[in-house]
């Protein structure tokens, strides 16, 4: 597994709330750049995420597998799935899970008389079976503090790439092998979540070279 990128779920430039997402029918220069041939391409990678708070329609394809999600600001909005490509286990769309959508945009649905996120490429979606608050806590504890030892809090910046890490998730950084060993029981409770989050962080956010799905 590659080393996770140093960023944060609280960084709204890369992890915007629903209200901060671009609208599908408008050119938003904060998100897109128009190419000489008229094509619009993202100028960075962004990912919306929210915890599913209602899933009663999630297994109904005719209704777009609709789920209601709570974003990082606490506001609740809909995500609808009308797939044209990719794959996703729709059974994972359950209350309490958190959905990540790369390159998400707000779309107006006239039949709903409101805006929602419309997903067509399923490989741009990742579902982690954990609530939002726990993921925010895990990300803050391990991904936001990669310059400090996850056990004792000592600064590890001087160690560069030589700082010991958890071999499984690569997110937990330590000042020594002794600290890594001592912290193993506590980190064991978070390691699987760190592995999941590493797939969210593991790309260059501040530039766009090509579309990056969660799965091929």
């Amino acid at each position: 597994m590659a080393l996770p990128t140093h960023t944060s779920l609280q960084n709204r430039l890369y992890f915007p709330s629903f209200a901060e997402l671009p609208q599908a029918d408008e050119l938003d220069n904060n998100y897109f750049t128009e190419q000489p041939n008229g094509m619009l391409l993202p100028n960075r990678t962004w990912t919306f995420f929210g915890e599913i708070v209602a899933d009663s329609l999630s297994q109904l394809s005719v209704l777009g597998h609709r789920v209601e999600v709570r974003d990082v600001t606490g506001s609740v909005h809909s995500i609808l799935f009308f797939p044209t490509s990719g794959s996703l286990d729709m059974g994972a769309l359950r209350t309490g899970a958190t959905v990540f959508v790369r390159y998400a945009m707000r779309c107006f649905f006239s039949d709903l008389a409101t805006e929602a996120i419309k997903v067509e490429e399923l490989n741009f979606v990742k579902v982690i079976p954990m609530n939002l608050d726990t993921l925010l806590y895990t990300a803050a504890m391990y991904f936001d503090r990669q310059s400090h030892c996850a056990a004792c809090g000592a600064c590890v910046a001087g160690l560069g790439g030589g700082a010991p890490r958890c071999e499984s998730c690569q997110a937990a950084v330590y000042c020594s092998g002794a600290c890594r060993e001592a912290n193993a029981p506590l980190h064991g409770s978070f390691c699987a979540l760190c592995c999941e989050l590493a797939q969210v962080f593991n790309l260059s956010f501040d530039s766009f070279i090509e579309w990056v799905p969660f799965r091929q």
Side-chain angles (χ1 to χ4, degrees):
M1 179 184 296
L3 298 183
T5 304
H6 291 241
T7 190
S8 169
L9 287 181
Q10 300 285 5
N11 188 330
R12 302 275 278 276
L13 180 65
Y14 306 126
F15 295 97
S17 66
F18 181 87
E20 295 163 335
L21 291 173
Q23 291 183 304
D25 56 351
E26 295 183 5
L27 169 59
D28 189 331
N29 292 321
N30 291 319
Y31 287 90
F32 292 95
T33 301
E34 186 171 1
Q35 305 302 302
N37 61 4
M39 181 181 296
L40 298 180
L41 288 178
N43 53 36
R44 66 178 182 278
T45 297
W46 69 92
T47 304
F48 170 84
F49 66 102
E51 179 185 338
I52 299 175
V53 295
D55 66 3
S56 61
L57 304 179
S58 66
Q59 304 308 303
L60 300 177
S61 59
V62 69
L63 297 177
H65 298 280
R66 180 178 176 181
V67 292
E68 307 299 317
V69 300
R70 172 176 64 89
D71 74 5
V72 69
T73 69
S75 63
V76 177
H77 302 277
S78 299
I79 301 178
L80 294 95
F81 300 82
F82 296 100
T84 58
S85 60
S87 62
L88 180 69
D89 177 13
M90 296 300 181
L93 298 174
R94 297 299 185 187
T95 298
T98 300
V99 183
F100 292 79
V101 184
R102 278 193 183 144
Y103 315 108
M105 292 186 285
R106 290 179 288 137
C107 299
F108 182 77
F109 286 81
S110 57
D111 54 336
L112 301 178
T114 189
E115 289 184 320
I117 294 173
K118 179 182 180 181
V119 174
E120 295 181 313
E121 170 50 78
L122 296 181
N123 287 346
F124 287 153
V125 179
K126 179 176 178 59
V127 182
I128 299 180
M130 183 55 65
N131 64 76
L132 180 64
D133 291 338
T134 298
L135 289 181
L136 287 171
Y137 176 80
T138 303
M141 186 162 61
Y142 291 103
F143 292 88
D144 295 6
R145 290 178 48 82
Q146 299 241 317
S147 61
H148 292 80
C149 177
C152 71
C155 180
V156 299
L159 299 178
R165 290 175 177 264
C166 169
E167 294 181 357
S168 296
C169 69
Q170 296 290 304
V173 185
Y174 300 97
C175 64
S176 65
C179 263
R180 180 171 61 183
E181 182 177 353
N183 190 240
L186 174 62
H187 178 61
S189 302
F190 295 95
C191 189
L193 284 183
C194 285
C195 287
E196 295 275 15
L197 285 170
Q199 297 177 30
V200 173
F201 291 127
N202 213 14
L203 78 168
S204 175
F205 288 92
D206 57 3
S207 62
F208 178 84
I209 299 175
E210 60 182 354
W211 302 95
V212 182
F214 287 111
R215 299 169 301 283
Q216 298 295 330

